[in-house]
Amino acid sequence: MPEGAFPATRYSVLSRMRDEDPGVRREALSAIVEAYWKPAYKHIRLKWKASPDEARDLTQTFFASLLERELLSRYDPGKAAFRTYLRTCIDGVVANERKSASRVKRGGESQIVSLDFQQAESEVALTAAEPVEEVFYREWQRQMFSLAVEDLRRHCEQTGRQVRFLLFERYDLAAGEGPSYEALAAEFRIPVTAVTNHMAWARRELRRCLWARLAVITSGEPELSAEASRLMGRP
Amino acid sequence: MSYLPDDVVRRLQSVVELPDLTGTRYELLGEIGRGGMGAVYLVRDRELERNAALKVAGSLDSEARLMAALEHPGIVPVYDAGVLPDGRAFYVMRFVEGRRLDEYCRETPNLAERLRVFQKVCDAVSFAHSRGVIHRDLTPRNIMAGPFGEVFVLDWGVARSGQARESPGLVVGTPDYMPPEQAAGDSHQSTVASDVYALGAVLASVLGPAAPKPLGAIVRQACQSNPADRYAEVQALNREITRYLELEPVLAYRESWRERLGRFAGKNRTLLLLLGAYLAVKVLLYFFRPN
């Protein structure tokens, strides 16, 4: 299979969550949590106007209920994208939890994964200007790109290609206008053609990392293709 | 994991889709446009030293082969095709310089000129039909009018050849130009009549709000809900435009005797002027004849 082609559907989130091996199921849940915990937290904070503590508890409750209430097994790919389904589930869980006085606190030992809510909370102020209905979608885009950038960084470190990541970081991750290829070539003491090639490689790898991340949280090729478009900001 | 600001996310969205052209003869110059079926980039062909348009598709698609099979002056020629290092397919075609049909019509007050451009569109689509290809997304945005009278029908991304199969329920096309059968998701039933409908809608945009009545009638017939009530083929629609331009009666329109007289007068203007001059001379001669 070429690098950028879509992976096979048998690795989709649905089949992995239904796998008999608990390890596979936990790994699948972990992928879902990684991709969606920040969008979920910020969505709860802003749409449901929850306090930081309440949003943290509700986020943990939501991911726990994905397993406990078998919400994932009820997902029908024919009806909606997995992302849309999850958002509906979050709203359902929050509404139910708020009605129920017997909500179990999940802040301490009962949390299913360790999440850096402090960092997420520090980002909430930066997202507050967005329409609340868009928060979940926008934050999902941001989180997917953040995860892919981290994957790329790790890949570069493991394969001794740190210079490529540094170039990518200086040029594509720069706030505002980044330096020119010529300036980077002078700074790193390499030819401009090498900068061009390294940048092309880094972007190609970033795309591969993104698609790999997306493949494990979608239900198959049609949804993967549709979600890839949404990830790129297309309607 | 550091926070990615909005402008960085937008930049990454753009750069991960850029085609990696290392190892090819093409140099990326910029993005021309983007549609549902992929993005089109302006590239420089270093070997031939000319600009071209490069389209990237998600997978190896049939659009390039379909376009390559349609050799017609109104259809953009395909120069090259291949696969990018990331597995996406691409093909290179002529870079068409000019104006989109909607822009061209806004800047061209002469109706006859606009209609002649529309007729060239009909010729290209009719040629595709003769090869068993239905375009399915004819809109003014997908038609380019060049500075030297050339007209191109673009974006064959959702075109279907006679042999192609696709799942029912798939909606393709652009809402304002889509026939009812296509809007209902019966895209697999798209026929010549579907393109006739879209051409009727394109003609309506070419005419603008103050369309002459016979041309309005042509639009109405082309855009009938029932495919069987439309023109049976694109050239039948095209011939109606020719009739209008040549001041012949348009089949889709029943004209009043006044309109018929007006059309007759328009068509025989020279003859009528000569006749008028002759009569005027006769009258003058009658009054000023010598006693």
Side-chain angles (χ1 to χ4, degrees):
Chain A
M1 185 177 68
E3 275 181 13
F6 294 154
T9 54
R10 67 177 179 276
Y11 297 117
S12 75
V13 66
L14 277 187
S15 54
R16 291 177 345 125
M17 283 304 293
R18 287 166 185 164
D19 199 287
E20 287 180 5
D21 183 348
V24 173
R25 287 206 303 275
R26 183 151 284 277
E27 196 186 314
L29 180 70
S30 168
I32 294 168
V33 173
E34 266 195 304
Y36 287 108
W37 79 267
K38 270 192 186 177
Y41 175 80
K42 293 176 188 177
H43 175 76
I44 294 167
R45 275 281 283 120
L46 296 171
K47 190 192 169 187
W48 290 88
K49 297 184 172 52
S51 68
D53 283 348
E54 190 192 14
R56 190 188 60 214
D57 284 351
L58 286 168
T59 305
Q60 291 281 9
T61 304
F62 165 67
F63 285 114
S65 61
L66 277 186
L67 280 179
E68 290 165 9
R69 298 189 204 167
E70 296 187 330
L71 286 176
L72 287 176
S73 60
R74 277 185 242 152
Y75 169 59
D76 179 358
K79 288 186 179 166
F82 185 62
R83 173 173 49 84
T84 311
Y85 176 74
L86 279 190
R87 206 187 78 160
T88 310
C89 290
I90 293 169
D91 289 340
V93 166
V94 174
N96 284 339
E97 291 294 310
R98 281 201 168 166
K99 270 187 217 163
S100 164
S102 60
R103 175 154 59 86
V104 179
K105 294 277 183 190
R106 294 186 187 274
E109 291 173 1
S110 56
Q111 68 178 22
I112 58 159
V113 278
S114 174
L115 303 171
D116 186 358
F117 284 107
Q118 213 167 357
Q119 193 205 347
E121 181 54 32
S122 70
E123 296 169 9
V124 166
L126 300 168
T127 59
E130 292 172 5
V132 285
E133 291 302 322
E134 288 284 298
V135 167
F136 189 73
Y137 167 56
R138 297 268 176 229
E139 292 308 310
W140 167 74
Q141 287 179 321
R142 194 188 318 279
Q143 181 71 352
M144 292 301 289
F145 274 101
S146 301
L147 290 169
V149 167
E150 282 307 307
D151 291 344
L152 175 64
R153 184 201 303 274
R154 213 172 299 123
H155 178 56
C156 288
E157 282 168 4
Q158 286 165 357
T159 55
R161 289 163 164 148
Q162 288 91 334
V163 170
R164 296 184 185 199
F165 187 81
L166 285 174
L167 286 168
F168 169 76
E169 194 173 41
R170 292 291 309 281
Y171 194 84
D172 278 342
L173 300 185
E177 191 76 18
S180 66
Y181 277 16
E182 287 75 15
L184 286 173
E187 184 186 336
F188 285 82
R189 294 180 183 176
I190 54 175
V192 177
T193 50
V195 176
T196 308
N197 289 340
H198 289 343
M199 288 299 295
W201 178 88
R203 289 163 172 178
R204 198 168 70 226
E205 282 301 304
L206 180 70
R207 180 183 166 83
R208 190 182 58 75
C209 294
L210 260 181
W211 258 240
R213 286 269 175 188
L214 204 52
V216 295
I217 56 161
T218 46
S219 59
E221 232 170 79
E223 189 191 346
L224 175 58
S225 178
E227 287 292 86
S229 283
R230 300 292 289 138
L231 188 58
M232 295 304 151
R234 291 195 293 273
Chain B
M1 194 164 64
S2 54
Y3 179 80
L4 298 179
D6 287 349
D7 61 335
V8 172
V9 172
R10 277 195 294 274
R11 189 183 306 142
L12 293 179
Q13 283 173 328
S14 162
V15 299
V16 294
E17 295 218 291
L18 289 177
D20 174 7
L21 299 175
T22 46
T24 71
R25 57 200 264 193
Y26 305 105
E27 180 191 346
L28 188 66
L29 298 180
E31 188 175 309
I32 299 172
R34 182 175 290 275
M37 304 305 287
V40 182
Y41 299 91
L42 177 65
V43 294
R44 181 80 181 159
D45 182 336
R46 283 188 287 254
E47 282 182 24
L48 295 175
E49 295 184 342
R50 66 178 178 184
N51 288 352
L54 183 145
K55 184 164 183 179
V56 178
S59 59
L60 195 64
D61 67 325
S62 58
E63 183 183 352
R65 290 192 191 100
L66 189 142
M67 281 177 69
L70 297 176
E71 286 188 80
H72 185 274
I75 296 169
V76 185
V78 174
Y79 295 152
D80 191 10
V83 178
L84 296 171
D86 63 13
R88 288 181 293 167
F90 76 90
Y91 63 91
V92 182
M93 55 196 154
R94 176 174 165 177
F95 173 53
V96 177
E97 289 181 89
R99 289 169 289 175
R100 286 190 335 229
L101 185 63
D102 49 343
E103 294 166 342
Y104 171 84
C105 288
R106 267 200 301 276
E107 294 156 16
T108 310
N110 188 305
L111 176 62
E113 274 182 45
R114 302 203 303 267
L115 288 174
R116 282 187 201 103
V117 165
F118 177 76
Q119 287 195 294
K120 289 184 182 176
V121 176
C122 288
D123 287 338
V125 176
S126 182
F127 172 80
H129 289 175
S130 75
R131 297 291 185 275
V133 175
I134 312 294
H135 187 286
R136 303 201 296 177
D137 193 18
L138 292 163
T139 76
R141 300 173 71 88
N142 288 341
I143 295 162
M144 290 287 278
F148 302 104
E150 38 327 6
V151 175
F152 288 102
V153 177
L154 310 176
D155 210 343
W156 296 77
V158 297
R160 189 175 68 92
S161 70
Q163 300 83 12
R165 291 272 179 275
E166 60 190 19
S167 38
L170 183 71
V171 178
V172 296
T174 305
D176 287 348
Y177 300 87
M178 205 188 286
E181 67 273 16
Q182 217 165 294
D186 290 339
S187 300
H188 61 296
Q189 287 180 358
S190 298
T191 61
V192 167
S194 311
D195 278 354
V196 168
Y197 182 101
L199 283 172
V202 169
L203 177 60
S205 74
V206 166
L207 299 176
K213 285 178 181 173
L215 291 172
I218 295 173
V219 170
R220 279 193 295 281
Q221 177 150 357
C223 294
Q224 289 288 318
S225 317
N226 183 355
D229 294 338
R230 298 173 203 154
Y231 293 105
E233 52 173 25
V234 172
Q235 286 305 11
L237 165 61
N238 201 356
R239 283 193 293 274
E240 288 275 74
I241 304 293
T242 304
R243 283 190 200 101
Y244 176 82
L245 288 172
E246 293 179 356
L247 299 172
E248 295 288 335
V250 166
L251 301 182
Y253 182 65
R254 181 173 289 178
E255 56 190 4
S256 67
W257 67 267
R258 279 189 186 188
E259 287 169 323
R260 195 174 304 175
L261 205 60
R263 187 171 48 74
F264 177 82
K267 190 176 179 185
N268 300 288
R269 185 175 295 168
T270 312
L271 184 67
L272 290 174
L273 281 173
L274 285 173
L275 194 63
Y278 171 76
L279 288 174
V281 169
K282 288 291 276 182
V283 168
L284 285 172
L285 286 175
Y286 176 80
F287 284 111
F288 295 104
R289 70 178 186 271
N291 288 325

